[in-house]
Coordinates of all heavy atoms in Angstrom, one line a residue:
A1441 N 91.2 91.7 114.3 CA 91.4 91.2 112.9 C 92.8 91.7 112.5 O 93.5 90.9 111.9 CB 90.3 91.8 112.1
L1442 N 93.2 92.9 112.8 CA 94.5 93.4 112.4 C 95.6 92.6 113.2 O 96.7 92.4 112.6 CB 94.6 94.9 112.7 CG 93.9 95.8 111.7 CD1 93.8 97.2 112.2 CD2 94.5 95.7 110.3
A1443 N 95.4 92.3 114.4 CA 96.4 91.5 115.2 C 96.5 90.1 114.5 O 97.7 89.6 114.4 CB 95.9 91.4 116.6
E1444 N 95.4 89.5 114.1 CA 95.5 88.2 113.5 C 96.3 88.3 112.2 O 97.1 87.4 111.9 CB 94.1 87.8 113.2 CG 93.9 86.3 112.7 CD 94.1 85.3 113.8 OE1 93.5 85.5 114.9 OE2 94.8 84.3 113.6
L1445 N 96.1 89.4 111.4 CA 96.8 89.6 110.2 C 98.3 89.8 110.4 O 99.1 89.3 109.7 CB 96.2 90.8 109.4 CG 96.4 90.9 108.0 CD1 96.1 89.6 107.2 CD2 95.6 92.1 107.4
S1446 N 98.6 90.5 111.5 CA 100.0 90.8 111.8 C 100.7 89.5 112.2 O 101.9 89.3 111.8 CB 100.2 91.8 112.9 OG 99.7 91.4 114.1
V1447 N 100.0 88.6 112.9 CA 100.6 87.3 113.3 C 100.8 86.4 112.0 O 101.9 85.8 111.8 CB 99.7 86.6 114.3 CG1 100.2 85.1 114.5 CG2 99.7 87.3 115.6
L1448 N 99.8 86.4 111.1 CA 99.9 85.6 109.9 C 101.1 86.1 109.1 O 101.9 85.3 108.6 CB 98.6 85.8 109.1 CG 98.6 85.1 107.7 CD1 98.8 83.6 107.9 CD2 97.3 85.4 107.0
K1449 N 101.3 87.4 108.9 CA 102.4 87.9 108.2 C 103.7 87.5 108.8 O 104.7 87.2 108.2 CB 102.3 89.5 108.1 CG 101.2 90.0 107.2 CD 101.3 91.5 106.9 CE 101.1 92.3 108.2 NZ 101.1 93.7 108.0
H1450 N 103.8 87.6 110.2 CA 105.0 87.3 110.9 C 105.3 85.8 110.8 O 106.5 85.5 110.6 CB 104.7 87.6 112.4 CG 106.0 87.5 113.2 ND1 106.2 86.4 114.0 CD2 107.0 88.3 113.4 CE1 107.3 86.5 114.7 NE2 107.9 87.7 114.3
Q1451 N 104.3 85.0 110.7 CA 104.6 83.5 110.6 C 105.2 83.2 109.2 O 106.1 82.4 109.0 CB 103.3 82.7 110.8 CG 102.9 82.7 112.3 CD 101.5 82.1 112.5 OE1 100.7 82.0 111.6 NE2 101.2 81.7 113.8
I1452 N 104.6 83.9 108.2 CA 105.1 83.7 106.8 C 106.6 84.1 106.7 O 107.4 83.4 106.1 CB 104.2 84.4 105.8 CG1 102.8 83.8 105.7 CG2 104.8 84.4 104.4 CD1 101.8 84.6 105.0
L1453 N 106.8 85.3 107.3 CA 108.2 85.9 107.1 C 109.2 85.1 107.9 O 110.4 85.1 107.6 CB 108.1 87.4 107.6 CG 109.4 88.2 107.5 CD1 110.0 88.1 106.1 CD2 109.1 89.6 107.8
T1454 N 108.8 84.5 109.0 CA 109.8 83.9 109.9 C 109.9 82.4 109.7 O 110.5 81.7 110.5 CB 109.5 84.2 111.4 OG1 108.2 83.8 111.7 CG2 109.7 85.7 111.7
D1455 N 109.2 81.8 108.7 CA 109.3 80.4 108.4 C 110.7 80.0 108.3 O 111.6 80.7 107.6 CB 108.5 80.2 107.1 CG 108.3 78.7 106.8 OD1 109.4 78.0 106.7 OD2 107.2 78.2 106.6
K1456 N 111.1 78.8 108.8 CA 112.5 78.4 108.8 C 113.1 78.3 107.4 O 114.3 78.6 107.2 CB 112.6 77.0 109.5 CG 112.5 77.1 111.0 CD 112.9 75.7 111.6 CE 112.9 75.7 113.1 NZ 111.6 76.0 113.7
K1457 N 112.3 78.0 106.4 CA 112.8 77.9 105.0 C 113.2 79.2 104.5 O 114.1 79.3 103.6 CB 111.8 77.2 104.1 CG 110.6 78.0 103.8 CD 109.7 77.3 102.8 CE 108.5 78.2 102.3 NZ 107.2 77.6 102.6
I1458 N 112.8 80.4 105.0 CA 113.2 81.7 104.5 C 114.7 81.9 104.7 O 115.4 82.4 103.8 CB 112.4 82.8 105.2 CG1 110.9 82.7 104.9 CG2 112.9 84.2 104.8 CD1 110.5 83.0 103.5
A1459 N 115.2 81.5 105.9 CA 116.6 81.7 106.2 C 117.5 80.9 105.2 O 118.5 81.4 104.7 CB 116.9 81.2 107.6
T1460 N 117.0 79.7 104.9 CA 117.7 78.8 103.9 C 117.7 79.4 102.5 O 118.7 79.5 101.8 CB 117.1 77.4 103.9 OG1 116.9 76.9 105.2 CG2 117.9 76.4 103.0
L1461 N 116.5 79.9 102.1 CA 116.4 80.6 100.8 C 117.3 81.8 100.7 O 117.9 82.1 99.7 CB 114.9 80.9 100.5 CG 114.0 79.7 100.3 CD1 112.6 80.2 100.4 CD2 114.3 79.1 98.9
L1462 N 117.3 82.6 101.8 CA 118.1 83.8 101.8 C 119.6 83.5 101.6 O 120.3 84.2 100.8 CB 117.9 84.7 103.1 CG 116.6 85.4 103.2 CD1 116.4 85.8 104.7 CD2 116.5 86.6 102.3
Q1463 N 120.1 82.5 102.3 CA 121.5 82.1 102.2 C 121.8 81.6 100.7 O 122.8 81.9 100.2 CB 121.8 81.0 103.2 CG 122.0 81.5 104.6 CD 122.4 80.4 105.6 OE1 121.9 79.3 105.4 NE2 123.2 80.8 106.6
A1464 N 120.8 80.8 100.2 CA 121.1 80.2 98.9 C 121.0 81.3 97.8 O 121.8 81.2 96.9 CB 120.0 79.1 98.6
A1465 N 120.1 82.2 98.0 CA 119.9 83.2 97.0 C 121.1 84.1 96.9 O 121.5 84.7 95.8 CB 118.7 84.1 97.3
A1466 N 121.8 84.3 98.0 CA 123.1 85.1 98.0 C 124.1 84.5 97.1 O 125.0 85.3 96.7 CB 123.6 85.2 99.5
Q1467 N 124.0 83.2 96.8 CA 125.0 82.6 95.9 C 124.6 82.7 94.4 O 125.4 82.3 93.6 CB 125.2 81.1 96.3 CG 125.5 80.9 97.8 CD 126.7 81.7 98.3 OE1 127.7 81.8 97.7 NE2 126.5 82.4 99.5
E1468 N 123.4 83.2 94.2 CA 122.9 83.2 92.8 C 123.4 84.4 92.1 O 123.8 85.4 92.7 CB 121.4 83.1 92.8 CG 120.9 81.7 93.3 CD 119.4 81.6 93.4 OE1 118.7 82.6 93.6 OE2 118.9 80.4 93.4
D1469 N 123.3 84.4 90.7 CA 123.7 85.4 89.8 C 122.7 86.5 89.8 O 121.8 86.5 88.9 CB 124.1 84.9 88.5 CG 124.6 86.0 87.5 OD1 125.2 86.9 88.1 OD2 124.5 85.8 86.3
L1470 N 122.7 87.5 90.7 CA 121.7 88.6 90.7 C 122.3 89.9 90.2 O 123.5 90.2 90.4 CB 121.3 88.8 92.2 CG 120.8 87.5 93.0 CD1 120.4 87.9 94.4 CD2 119.6 86.9 92.3
N1471 N 121.4 90.7 89.6 CA 121.8 92.0 89.2 C 121.8 93.0 90.4 O 121.4 92.6 91.5 CB 121.0 92.5 88.0 CG 119.5 92.7 88.4 OD1 119.2 93.1 89.5 ND2 118.6 92.5 87.4
D1472 N 122.1 94.3 90.1 CA 122.2 95.2 91.2 C 120.9 95.4 92.0 O 120.9 95.4 93.2 CB 122.7 96.6 90.7 CG 124.1 96.6 90.3 OD1 124.8 95.6 90.6 OD2 124.6 97.6 89.8
V1473 N 119.8 95.5 91.3 CA 118.5 95.7 91.9 C 118.1 94.5 92.7 O 117.6 94.6 93.9 CB 117.4 96.1 90.9 CG1 116.1 96.2 91.6 CG2 117.8 97.4 90.2
E1474 N 118.4 93.3 92.1 CA 118.0 92.1 92.8 C 118.8 91.9 94.1 O 118.3 91.5 95.1 CB 118.2 90.9 91.9 CG 117.2 90.8 90.8 CD 117.5 89.9 89.6 OE1 118.7 89.5 89.5 OE2 116.6 89.5 88.9
R1475 N 120.1 92.3 94.0 CA 121.0 92.2 95.2 C 120.5 93.2 96.3 O 120.5 92.8 97.5 CB 122.4 92.4 94.8 CG 123.4 91.8 95.8 CD 124.7 91.3 95.2 NE 124.6 90.2 94.3 CZ 124.4 88.9 94.8 NH1 124.3 88.6 96.0 NH2 124.4 87.9 93.9
A1476 N 120.1 94.3 95.9 CA 119.5 95.3 96.8 C 118.2 94.8 97.4 O 118.0 94.9 98.7 CB 119.3 96.6 96.2
N1477 N 117.4 94.1 96.6 CA 116.2 93.6 97.1 C 116.4 92.5 98.1 O 115.8 92.3 99.2 CB 115.4 93.0 96.0 CG 113.9 92.7 96.3 OD1 113.3 93.4 97.2 ND2 113.3 91.7 95.7
L1478 N 117.5 91.6 97.8 CA 117.8 90.5 98.7 C 118.4 91.1 100.0 O 118.0 90.6 101.1 CB 118.9 89.7 98.1 CG 119.4 88.4 98.9 CD1 118.2 87.5 99.1 CD2 120.5 87.7 98.2
R1479 N 119.1 92.2 100.0 CA 119.6 92.9 101.2 C 118.4 93.3 102.1 O 118.4 93.1 103.3 CB 120.4 94.1 100.8 CG 121.0 94.9 102.0 CD 121.5 96.3 101.5 NE 120.3 97.1 101.2 CZ 120.3 98.0 100.2 NH1 121.4 98.2 99.4 NH2 119.2 98.8 100.0
E1480 N 117.4 93.9 101.4 CA 116.2 94.4 102.2 C 115.4 93.2 102.7 O 114.8 93.3 103.8 CB 115.4 95.3 101.3 CG 116.0 96.6 100.9 CD 116.4 97.4 102.2 OE1 115.5 97.7 103.0 OE2 117.6 97.7 102.4
M1481 N 115.2 92.2 101.9 CA 114.5 90.9 102.3 C 115.2 90.4 103.6 O 114.5 90.0 104.6 CB 114.6 89.8 101.3 CG 113.7 90.1 100.0 SD 114.1 88.8 98.8 CE 112.8 89.0 97.6
T1482 N 116.5 90.3 103.6 CA 117.3 89.8 104.7 C 117.0 90.7 105.9 O 116.9 90.2 107.1 CB 118.8 89.8 104.4 OG1 118.9 89.0 103.2 CG2 119.6 89.2 105.5
R1483 N 117.0 92.0 105.7 CA 116.8 92.9 106.9 C 115.4 92.7 107.5 O 115.3 92.6 108.7 CB 117.0 94.4 106.4 CG 116.9 95.4 107.5 CD 117.4 96.8 107.0 NE 116.4 97.4 106.1 CZ 115.3 98.0 106.5 NH1 115.1 98.1 107.8 NH2 114.5 98.6 105.7
H1484 N 114.4 92.6 106.6 CA 113.0 92.4 107.1 C 112.9 91.1 107.8 O 112.3 91.0 108.9 CB 112.0 92.4 105.9 CG 111.8 93.7 105.3 ND1 110.7 94.5 105.7 CD2 112.4 94.5 104.4 CE1 110.6 95.6 105.1 NE2 111.7 95.7 104.3
Y1485 N 113.6 90.0 107.3 CA 113.6 88.7 108.0 C 114.2 88.8 109.3 O 113.7 88.3 110.4 CB 114.2 87.7 107.1 CG 114.5 86.4 107.8 CD1 113.5 85.5 108.1 CD2 115.8 86.1 108.3 CE1 113.8 84.3 108.8 CE2 116.1 84.9 109.0 CZ 115.0 84.0 109.3 OH 115.3 82.9 110.0
Q1486 N 115.4 89.4 109.4 CA 116.2 89.5 110.6 C 115.5 90.3 111.7 O 115.6 90.0 112.9 CB 117.6 90.1 110.3 CG 118.5 89.1 109.6 CD 119.8 89.7 109.1 OE1 120.0 91.0 109.1 NE2 120.8 88.9 108.8
E1487 N 114.8 91.4 111.3 CA 114.0 92.2 112.2 C 112.8 91.3 112.8 O 112.5 91.3 114.0 CB 113.4 93.4 111.5 CG 114.4 94.5 111.2 CD 115.1 95.2 112.4 OE1 114.7 94.9 113.5 OE2 116.0 96.0 112.1
A1488 N 112.2 90.6 111.9 CA 111.0 89.8 112.3 C 111.3 88.6 113.2 O 110.6 88.3 114.1 CB 110.2 89.4 111.1
V1489 N 112.4 87.9 112.8 CA 112.7 86.6 113.5 C 113.1 86.8 114.9 O 113.0 85.8 115.7 CB 113.8 85.9 112.7 CG1 115.1 86.4 113.0 CG2 113.6 84.3 112.9
L1490 N 113.4 88.0 115.3 CA 113.7 88.3 116.7 C 112.5 88.2 117.7 O 112.7 88.2 118.9 CB 114.4 89.6 116.8 CG 115.7 89.8 116.0 CD1 116.2 91.2 116.1 CD2 116.8 88.8 116.4
L1491 N 111.3 88.3 117.1 CA 110.1 88.5 117.9 C 109.2 87.2 117.8 O 109.0 86.7 116.7 CB 109.3 89.7 117.5 CG 110.0 91.0 117.5 CD1 109.0 92.1 117.1 CD2 110.6 91.4 118.8
P1492 N 108.7 86.7 119.0 CA 107.8 85.6 118.9 C 106.4 86.1 118.4 O 106.0 87.2 118.6 CB 107.7 85.1 120.3 CG 108.1 86.3 121.2 CD 109.1 87.1 120.3
D1493 N 105.6 85.1 117.9 CA 104.3 85.4 117.4 C 103.4 86.1 118.5 O 102.7 87.1 118.2 CB 103.5 84.1 117.0 CG 104.1 83.5 115.7 OD1 104.9 84.2 115.0 OD2 103.7 82.4 115.3
A1494 N 103.5 85.6 119.7 CA 102.7 86.1 120.8 C 102.9 87.6 121.1 O 102.0 88.3 121.3 CB 102.9 85.3 122.0
L1495 N 104.2 88.0 121.0 CA 104.5 89.4 121.2 C 104.0 90.3 120.1 O 103.5 91.4 120.3 CB 106.0 89.6 121.4 CG 106.5 90.9 121.8 CD1 106.0 91.3 123.2 CD2 108.0 91.1 121.8
V1496 N 104.1 89.8 118.9 CA 103.6 90.5 117.7 C 102.1 90.8 117.9 O 101.6 91.9 117.6 CB 103.9 89.8 116.4 CG1 103.2 90.4 115.2 CG2 105.4 89.7 116.1
E1497 N 101.4 89.7 118.3 CA 99.9 89.8 118.5 C 99.6 90.8 119.6 O 98.7 91.7 119.5 CB 99.3 88.4 118.7 CG 97.8 88.5 118.9 CD 97.2 87.1 119.2 OE1 97.9 86.3 119.8 OE2 96.1 86.9 118.7
E1498 N 100.3 90.6 120.7 CA 100.1 91.5 121.9 C 100.4 93.0 121.6 O 99.6 93.8 121.9 CB 100.9 91.0 123.1 CG 100.5 91.7 124.3 CD 101.3 91.2 125.6 OE1 102.3 90.7 125.4 OE2 100.8 91.5 126.7
K1499 N 101.4 93.2 120.8 CA 101.7 94.6 120.5 C 100.6 95.2 119.6 O 100.2 96.4 119.9 CB 103.1 94.6 119.7 CG 103.5 96.1 119.3 CD 104.8 96.1 118.6 CE 105.2 97.6 118.3 NZ 106.4 97.7 117.5
S1500 N 100.1 94.5 118.7 CA 99.0 95.0 117.9 C 97.8 95.2 118.7 O 97.1 96.3 118.6 CB 98.7 94.0 116.7 OG 97.7 94.4 115.9

Side-chain angles (χ1 to χ4, degrees):
L1442 284 169
E1444 191 74 43
L1445 201 48
S1446 67
V1447 170
L1448 177 61
K1449 289 189 295 183
H1450 187 257
Q1451 288 170 342
I1452 293 168
L1453 182 53
T1454 57
D1455 188 304
K1456 285 190 174 67
K1457 69 175 184 238
I1458 298 291
T1460 309
L1461 289 166
L1462 288 167
Q1463 282 183 328
Q1467 309 307 315
E1468 293 176 335
D1469 183 22
L1470 307 179
N1471 64 33
D1472 285 354
V1473 175
E1474 290 166 339
R1475 202 145 292 283
N1477 194 33
L1478 184 62
R1479 179 197 71 218
E1480 292 301 304
M1481 288 172 170
T1482 305
R1483 187 169 71 81
H1484 283 266
Y1485 168 76
Q1486 288 172 342
E1487 291 290 355
V1489 80
L1490 300 176
L1491 306 183
D1493 290 350
L1495 188 65
V1496 171
E1497 181 178 32
E1498 190 178 18
K1499 183 179 180 181
S1500 182

